[in-house]
């Protein structure tokens, strides 16, 4: 029972890895937060849907929708080491007054190592404090745009080798309640066409609560997020001063269901304050759904 | 007293009648091309970006964007928006696939009302084979 609850305390922070029409492509940043407890390997599928509206000289020009699905897995390689990997598939759609464009294909896969630096438990074995640091590589294997145009951000890949990193902290507040904070920073490199998306920071903090439901666990959380994107640069084109740069911050809601073999996750991001691409892009939020099959780890 | 009441009602009824029958003023539309510039050249296989804005002094009733090959008379691209709005932003692409170098006419027609009143603007450029 306590063990299961300690697992629940670590289950919610996992939304940073997604395609991004501001920062570009799959794997703009990695979150290692998903089920940090070392008792499980898992494999799952998750879907992240993001919506934006674009403006041209202050006039609404188009709506963009990016649907990203990931085959996502984690292996507990040792008591303090986790290997995480994902293969994404993304569809990007832009709808305008006079037509629409559609970009679909495999995105950039990534592999990621997460090291558990600190994991203190109470006398009952429940997690009290947890701290992990991770880093990995995003491989430029997905389809990306050679042209540096307005459709570039809808492609499933970026064409660049990127290095995502993350820091995750969890503190038990009281029985069934915990505080979770996570920050990720991705170092980005140029793609073969000379285009380089700016590095980006993702961060979140939230309180979570666990409720027992027929022997399983319902875990919900409420908090906030802040994402920052540095400007893109190009060696071959004259980009604007703030291309793809900006920030967005808002509210994050989680609802998750955990049984002995399955974890079902859902998450909503609602932006409240934002300044993206000189105001020419407005994020309308994101929705994430996931299902994971849990495999008990033999690592002790 | 009754006469005052009847007179007031009559004036009110006439006022309402005239107000209801007053026709809305036809708005004025300003069409601006940001891309391409006049007489720009588009190479074979390249994309022609047609980008600009339409702003009205009132509600506009849609617009049509067309690209015509002036050498052959063929309309190589056309798109129509029928949504009502005070302003529009367009950004469309056409890939130059002409078989002989030709002058292109880019035209935007804005529906000002449902009585057939329109506002138009054209811009010429060259598609190179």
């Amino acid at each position: 029972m306590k063990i299961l609850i300690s697992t629940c305390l670590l289950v919610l922070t996992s939304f940073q890895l997604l395609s991004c029409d501001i920062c570009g492509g799959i794997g703009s940043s990695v979150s290692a937060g998903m089920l940090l407890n070392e008792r499980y390997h898992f494999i799952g599928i998750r879907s992240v849907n993001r919506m934006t509206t674009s403006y041209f000289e202050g006039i609404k020009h188009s709506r963009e929708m990016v649907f990203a699905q990931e085959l996502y897995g984690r292996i507990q390689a040792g008591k303090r080491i986790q290997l995480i990997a994902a293969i994404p598939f993304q569809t990007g759609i832009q709808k305008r007054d006079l037509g629409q464009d559609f970009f679909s294909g495999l995105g950039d896969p990534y592999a990621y190592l997460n090291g558990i630096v600190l994991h203190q438990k109470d006398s009952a074995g429940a997690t009290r404090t947890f701290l992990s640091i991770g880093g990995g590589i995003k491989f430029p294997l997905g389809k990306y745009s050679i042209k540096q145009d307005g459709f570039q951000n809808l492609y499933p890949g970026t064409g660049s080798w990127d290095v995502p990193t993350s820091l995750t902290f969890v503190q038990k507040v009281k029985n069934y309640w915990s505080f979770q904070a996570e920050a990720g920073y991705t170092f980005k490199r140029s793609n073969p066409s000379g285009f380089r998306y700016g590095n980006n920071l993702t961060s979140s903090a939230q309180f979570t609560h666990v409720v027992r439901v027929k022997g399983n666990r319902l875990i919900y959380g409420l908090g906030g997020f802040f994402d920052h994107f540095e400007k893109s640069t190009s060696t071959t084109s004259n980009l604007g001063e703030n291309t793809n740069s900006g920030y967005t911050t808002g509210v994050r809601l989680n609802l998750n269901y955990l049984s002995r073999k399955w974890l079902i996750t859902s998450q909503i991001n609602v932006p409240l304050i934002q300044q993206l691409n000189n105001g020419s892009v407005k994020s309308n939020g994101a929705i994430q759904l996931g299902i994971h099959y849990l495999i008990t780890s033999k690592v002790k | 007293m009754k006469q005052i009441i009847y007179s007031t009602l009559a004036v009110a009824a006439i006022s309402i009648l005239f107000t209801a029958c007053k026709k809305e003023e036809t708005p004025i539309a300003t069409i601006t091309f940001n891309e391409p510039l006049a007489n720009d050249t588009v190479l074979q296989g390249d994309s022609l970006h047609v980008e600009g804005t339409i702003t009205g002094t009132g509600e506009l009733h849609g617009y049509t964007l067309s690209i015509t090959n002036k050498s052959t008379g063929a309309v190589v691209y056309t798109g129509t928006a029928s949504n009502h709005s005070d302003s529009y932003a367009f950004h469309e692409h056409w890939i130059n696939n002409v078989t002989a170098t030709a002058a292109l006419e880019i035209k935007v027609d804005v529906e000002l009302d449902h009585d057939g009143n329109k506002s138009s603007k054209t811009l010429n450029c060259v598609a190179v084979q």
Side-chain angles (χ1 to χ4, degrees):
Chain A
M1 164 71 178
K2 290 283 187 182
I3 290 168
L4 184 56
I5 289 171
S6 74
T7 302
C8 298
L9 289 174
L10 302 172
V11 84
L12 292 183
T13 52
S14 64
F15 200 44
Q16 314 299 337
L17 183 79
L18 38 77
S19 60
C20 177
D21 29 30
I22 305 304
C23 49
I26 291 286
S28 58
S29 182
V30 162
S31 164
M34 173 65 72
L35 205 61
L36 286 169
N37 188 286
E38 65 272 12
R39 288 186 169 272
Y40 298 105
H41 311 295
F42 66 77
I43 186 164
I45 294 173
R46 57 182 182 176
S47 171
V48 182
N49 302 327
R50 294 165 57 84
M51 294 142 285
T52 59
T53 305
S54 294
Y55 296 83
F56 178 65
E57 297 196 352
I59 301 169
K60 183 179 168 184
H61 162 254
S62 60
R63 287 183 296 127
E64 290 80 26
M65 287 154 283
V66 177
F67 306 103
Q69 282 75 42
E70 285 187 340
L71 179 63
Y72 181 76
R74 192 192 75 187
I75 295 169
Q76 190 71 36
K79 186 167 175 57
R80 291 188 177 272
I81 293 289
Q82 300 166 332
L83 172 63
I84 299 164
I87 302 172
F89 185 91
Q90 181 182 297
T91 301
I93 301 168
Q94 183 185 66
K95 289 188 172 181
R96 303 178 301 279
D97 280 348
L98 303 179
Q100 65 177 32
D101 281 283
F102 180 90
F103 303 88
S104 186
L106 282 175
D108 295 336
Y110 68 91
Y112 190 81
L113 276 178
N114 194 45
I116 300 169
V117 177
L118 177 68
H119 194 178
Q120 293 179 340
K121 298 179 181 178
D122 61 20
S123 56
T127 295
R128 190 168 56 213
T129 307
F130 180 97
L131 178 66
S132 74
I133 297 174
I137 296 175
K138 189 202 67 137
F139 305 94
L141 302 178
K143 187 164 71 175
Y144 70 97
S145 174
I146 297 170
K147 292 181 181 176
Q148 298 172 14
D149 59 21
F151 296 126
Q152 187 173 16
N153 292 350
L154 294 171
Y155 276 76
T158 65
S160 61
W161 294 83
D162 295 342
V163 180
T165 63
S166 76
L167 182 69
T168 304
F169 174 74
V170 179
Q171 178 65 53
K172 181 179 174 183
V173 179
K174 56 187 288 190
N175 284 345
Y176 306 111
W177 284 93
S178 71
F179 171 76
Q180 305 184 15
E182 189 167 34
Y185 193 82
T186 301
F187 299 91
K188 298 186 180 177
R189 303 185 65 206
S190 297
N191 67 18
S193 72
F195 185 90
R196 178 181 171 274
Y197 285 102
N199 297 342
N200 78 286
L201 167 76
T202 58
S203 59
S204 66
Q206 60 191 330
F207 286 95
T208 63
H209 186 223
V210 182
V211 179
R212 280 194 290 174
V213 180
K214 294 179 180 176
N216 297 321
R217 298 292 178 271
L218 190 66
I219 309 141
Y220 62 90
L222 174 63
F225 68 93
F226 174 78
D227 296 340
H228 180 265
F229 310 97
E230 295 174 22
K231 69 176 181 180
S232 298
T233 55
S234 172
T235 56
T236 55
S237 297
N238 186 20
L239 301 181
E241 185 59 32
N242 297 302
T243 299
N244 292 336
S245 67
Y247 67 89
T248 178
T249 184
V251 173
R252 174 170 293 178
L253 303 166
N254 281 284
L255 183 62
N256 304 269
Y257 188 76
L258 178 70
S259 69
R260 295 204 175 275
K261 287 290 182 187
W262 295 94
L263 169 67
I264 298 169
T265 61
S266 66
Q267 188 164 278
I268 298 174
N269 276 7
V270 181
L272 297 178
I273 303 170
Q274 56 183 298
Q275 174 65 38
L276 298 170
N277 222 342
N278 270 341
S280 65
V281 175
K282 182 183 172 190
S283 168
N284 299 319
I287 298 171
Q288 180 257 347
L289 296 170
I291 183 165
H292 305 77
Y293 181 71
L294 309 179
I295 302 161
T296 304
S297 163
K298 292 177 182 171
V299 171
K300 294 192 176 177
Chain B
M1 182 62 180
K2 275 186 180 177
Q3 278 182 333
I4 294 172
I5 293 171
Y6 289 146
S7 303
T8 306
L9 287 174
V11 169
I14 290 165
S15 300
I16 289 167
L17 191 65
F18 273 90
T19 305
C21 291
K22 184 182 175 185
K23 192 175 176 181
E24 276 188 23
E25 275 190 27
T26 302
I28 297 167
T30 304
I31 304 164
T32 306
F33 286 105
N34 292 70
E35 280 188 60
L37 299 176
N39 302 316
D40 269 2
T41 299
V42 189
L43 300 178
Q44 174 77 15
D46 277 2
S47 265
L48 170 65
H49 297 255
V50 182
E51 183 175 305
T53 57
I54 303 163
T55 52
T57 55
E59 187 179 69
L60 305 172
H61 295 250
Y63 66 100
T64 298
L65 170 66
S66 61
I67 304 172
T68 304
N69 182 329
K70 290 174 78 174
S71 302
T72 64
V75 177
V76 295
Y77 172 89
T78 185
T80 299
S82 55
N83 54 314
H84 291 196
S85 179
D86 290 347
S87 57
Y88 304 98
F90 53 87
H91 186 176
E92 296 301 318
H93 301 256
W94 171 75
I95 295 174
N96 177 8
N97 59 359
V98 296
T99 53
T101 297
L104 298 177
E105 181 186 79
I106 303 164
K107 186 176 185 185
V108 172
D109 285 314
V110 182
E111 302 279 347
L112 302 175
D113 53 30
H114 288 309
D115 297 330
N117 289 311
K118 290 183 180 180
S119 180
S120 300
K121 186 165 186 176
T122 59
L123 185 146
N124 293 305
C125 60
V126 179
V128 177
Q129 200 276 331

